[in-house]
Amino acid sequence: MNISIAIDGPCGAGKSTVALAVAERLGGHYLDTGAMYRAVGLYMLSLGIEPSDAEKVPEALKDCLVDVTYDEENRQHTLLNGRDVSGEIRTPEVSMAASAVGTVKAVRVTLVARQRELAGRMFLVCDGRDIGTCVIPDALLKIYLTASPEERARRRLAQLNDPSATFEKVLEDVNKRDYNDMHRAESPLTQAEDAVVVDTTHMDFDQVVETVTKLYEQRRKR
Ligand code: DC
């Protein structure tokens, strides 16, 4: 049994901030797998390759090395061919590209292998779309973190800090990414059978972190 925690769910549900806080509380590493898909998306955009192109993306992937490292504060840095792209990958354009490259099988196979390798050698609180169902199916605790699309769009808008962004556009992107992530042929976003659903629509951040941490502590005692 792997002692890691798998947190899956749709975009904007708060997976990354919750996973980071839980990892800090429990003394593990937070692995943001979305950042790895974002790095691949950024790479394809930089080459002018359509991120969902099932022929060109696997070909270009051969020269696209994605890695993660942790700094002294235990923060993840995402490296693309050795370059730290942690900041660059946080744009709406790269979000869409990440969602698109996530539909390409070769991308998933490559990134999942790397994620499993990391999970095999450290205690991870790992977030993504396929962590409990595919990457760490034997995780000690699986969480499906969700919230209504409107609430997720509202949170995303606040995070974006972009005066030109509108709620309607962000909600449209949320719905589009949900559709992509849930309907792709390769590892679509689904709830693992043994996942605990945590709906954060009416919860504040501390309540969510507390809920996940308590669930984990209960599991460890079993
Ligand atoms: O978690 P995020 O928003 O940074 O993820 C960006 C995109 O990457 C998301 O829309 C789908 C894809 N992704 C994935 O397919 N599988 C994962 N484990 C994580 C992210």
Side-chain angles (χ1 to χ4, degrees), residues 139-203:
L140 184 59
L141 176 65
K142 298 178 190 177
I143 299 286
Y144 189 83
L145 201 69
T146 189
S148 69
E150 291 74 17
E151 176 60 17
R152 291 185 281 125
R154 196 186 60 71
R155 292 179 194 167
R156 267 281 142 101
L157 187 65
Q159 264 176 6
L160 275 177
N161 205 8
D162 171 2
S164 68
T166 63
F167 175 77
E168 287 70 27
K169 173 74 179 101
V170 176
L171 180 61
E172 190 188 313
D173 280 0
V174 163
N175 284 326
K176 206 154 137 195
R177 283 179 63 199
D178 279 359
Y179 187 87
N180 276 352
D181 296 348
M182 290 173 186
H183 292 87
R184 65 183 178 219
E186 294 301 329
S187 306
L189 167 64
T190 45
Q191 210 178 296
E193 264 178 29
D194 49 350
V196 181
V197 180
V198 178
D199 185 332
T200 71
T201 308
H202 304 292
M203 287 169 93

Side-chain angles (χ1 to χ4, degrees), residues 18-125:
V18 169
L20 179 62
V22 171
E24 270 172 9
R25 273 189 51 180
L26 295 172
H29 287 281
Y30 161 50
L31 178 65
D32 172 3
T33 63
M36 300 170 82
Y37 288 87
R38 285 169 181 270
V40 175
L42 176 68
Y43 183 72
M44 299 305 156
L45 290 177
S46 75
L47 294 182
I49 293 174
E50 166 57 44
S52 60
D53 190 318
E55 276 174 25
K56 289 191 183 146
V57 168
E59 189 55 37
L61 196 62
K62 291 177 187 142
D63 295 315
C64 170
L65 190 69
V66 176
D67 205 359
V68 299
T69 57
Y70 292 91
D71 63 22
E72 58 286 349
E73 282 169 6
N74 213 3
R75 304 226 161 227
Q76 175 178 326
H77 291 262
T78 307
L79 307 180
L80 171 60
N81 291 332
R83 192 167 65 86
D84 191 339
V85 292
S86 309
E88 265 173 77
I89 55 176
R90 300 289 155 196
T91 66
E93 197 193 6
V94 176
S95 297
M96 293 311 294
S99 182
V101 294
T103 65
V104 179
K105 186 172 183 176
V107 174
R108 304 207 73 81
V109 170
T110 306
L111 295 186
V112 166
R114 180 77 187 111
Q115 291 154 13
R116 283 190 183 144
E117 190 200 317
L118 291 166
R121 57 186 172 84
M122 49 178 112
F123 163 42
L124 290 183
V125 183

